[in-house]
Amino acid sequence: STIEEAKAILDDLNSSPEKLKKYVDDVYNEVMEKCEWGMLIDKYYIPAVENALSKRKKKFSNEVVVSHYQEDLSWLDDLKRPNTVTVYSKSEKGVDRDHIKLSNEGMIEHTIYHHLASRYDSLADYTVFCQDRPFDHVPNFIQLVNNFDPDRDNQAILNKDGYWGWQMDGGLRENEWDGYPDYSKDLGRPHRVLKVDEVWEELFETERPEKLRFVPAAHFCVSRDQVLTRSREFYEKVAEMSRTRQWGPWEIERVTWAIFDKDIVARC
């Protein structure tokens, strides 16, 4: 701490060759130990790499939104946390878990856009939408949700910006702008004439593409940032269309990709 103290230490070391050698050896060993490669890796390299990876894989919130009617929901217990699960039930019988009751209209499309409008200011970073039994359309649905990574395509058949659309056969569907395939009759359903062109004109200013290609069945994930490219009023409008148009849910299903495409200009 003083010049006199330093001089006394140097004089003491210089008074004995053995003492000086021991001091030099101790300093050398201390320095070399701190510079040893394994120690440098543990102290500097590994923390630096872990820090970089943690920034890349930053934590984000996930919410799984289920549109329930009558299926058993025990499969939800296989979802890893921290996924938040929100169940909207349209069943008169209810469901044996926490849920939000909705009127039985508009199918899953109404559930989706009701959720986006009502939770507009409190959405998760990423929201997954699904039917109460997703496995007919996406057999590996649980694995997709549990392993979801926003930096990957996540096996989506349509992936743009913050939207991932899933379907088991890995192929987009095609449809006429005005009409519906006759196979609906084979399923014992009335032949549906979809006016998707009317829906498009009501929702978007951008001219519609020549081909109508879409992901069926409404199993998809969307980021909060992507949702917020539209207004709350826009989602309220879509929810109302799903409820009031005769074939609204099927028509909206066909333009879901456009709803979450920021390059397509919405009318509100």
Side-chain angles (χ1 to χ4, degrees), residues 39-63:
M39 192 280 298
L40 290 176
I41 290 176
D42 290 339
K43 187 172 183 179
Y44 298 106
Y45 282 80
I46 290 178
V49 170
E50 288 178 343
N51 183 54
L53 288 174
S54 66
K55 288 181 179 179
R56 178 182 178 274
K57 295 184 177 180
K58 61 181 180 180
K59 293 182 179 179
F60 53 84
S61 59
N62 267 20
E63 184 169 14

Side-chain angles (χ1 to χ4, degrees), residues 154-205:
N154 299 291
Q155 301 180 37
I157 64 173
L158 184 59
N159 175 20
K160 183 180 179 185
D161 300 323
Y163 168 83
W164 295 262
W166 293 310
Q167 174 67 11
M168 64 180 175
D169 59 12
L172 295 173
R173 298 293 191 271
E174 292 191 8
N175 208 151
E176 299 295 330
W177 282 100
D178 182 358
Y180 192 84
D182 284 337
Y183 68 73
S184 59
K185 294 180 181 178
D186 299 334
L187 299 177
R189 300 169 181 163
H191 181 59
R192 291 172 285 201
V193 178
L194 305 185
K195 300 289 186 178
V196 188
D197 52 347
E198 292 181 0
V199 171
W200 184 278
E201 292 301 321
E202 191 169 342
L203 292 179
F204 307 114
E205 293 183 6

Side-chain angles (χ1 to χ4, degrees), residues 53-121:
L53 288 174
S54 66
K55 288 181 179 179
R56 178 182 178 274
K57 295 184 177 180
K58 61 181 180 180
K59 293 182 179 179
F60 53 84
S61 59
N62 267 20
E63 184 169 14
V64 179
V65 175
V66 184
S67 184
H68 172 261
Y69 181 61
Q70 61 183 6
E71 298 291 341
D72 175 65
L73 295 179
S74 59
W75 60 269
L76 289 172
D77 297 332
D78 294 328
L79 294 177
K80 291 180 182 177
R81 299 300 180 261
N83 286 306
T84 299
V85 176
T86 299
V87 175
Y88 291 91
S89 181
K90 298 189 173 188
S91 172
E92 294 303 323
K93 299 178 181 178
V95 57
D96 188 22
R97 64 173 59 226
D98 291 342
H99 65 278
I100 299 170
K101 187 73 173 70
L102 289 181
S103 58
N104 185 23
E105 52 188 350
M107 300 182 68
I108 185 175
E109 279 70 25
H110 176 259
T111 303
I112 291 168
Y113 299 103
H114 168 83
H115 179 84
L116 295 180
S118 62
R119 289 280 306 281
Y120 192 81
D121 295 323

Side-chain angles (χ1 to χ4, degrees), residues 131-248:
Q131 300 175 15
D132 51 4
R133 180 177 173 80
F135 312 110
D136 293 339
H137 296 279
V138 191
N140 61 334
F141 181 79
I142 291 175
Q143 290 78 11
L144 284 174
V145 174
N146 286 343
N147 298 318
F148 178 80
D149 183 341
D151 293 329
R152 299 176 182 172
D153 63 11
N154 299 291
Q155 301 180 37
I157 64 173
L158 184 59
N159 175 20
K160 183 180 179 185
D161 300 323
Y163 168 83
W164 295 262
W166 293 310
Q167 174 67 11
M168 64 180 175
D169 59 12
L172 295 173
R173 298 293 191 271
E174 292 191 8
N175 208 151
E176 299 295 330
W177 282 100
D178 182 358
Y180 192 84
D182 284 337
Y183 68 73
S184 59
K185 294 180 181 178
D186 299 334
L187 299 177
R189 300 169 181 163
H191 181 59
R192 291 172 285 201
V193 178
L194 305 185
K195 300 289 186 178
V196 188
D197 52 347
E198 292 181 0
V199 171
W200 184 278
E201 292 301 321
E202 191 169 342
L203 292 179
F204 307 114
E205 293 183 6
T206 302
E207 184 177 350
R208 69 176 189 250
E210 290 185 9
K211 284 190 175 182
L212 175 56
R213 305 185 70 203
F214 64 97
V215 180
H219 293 95
F220 65 89
C221 177
V222 65
S223 70
R224 176 174 56 203
D225 290 343
Q226 200 71 3
V227 171
L228 297 182
T229 61
R230 310 292 194 205
S231 67
R232 185 199 303 268
E233 292 72 24
F234 178 83
Y235 297 117
E236 290 173 342
K237 183 176 183 178
V238 178
E240 184 67 8
M241 291 172 70
S242 73
R243 191 179 64 82
T244 57
R245 291 183 63 88
Q246 181 181 9
W247 305 115

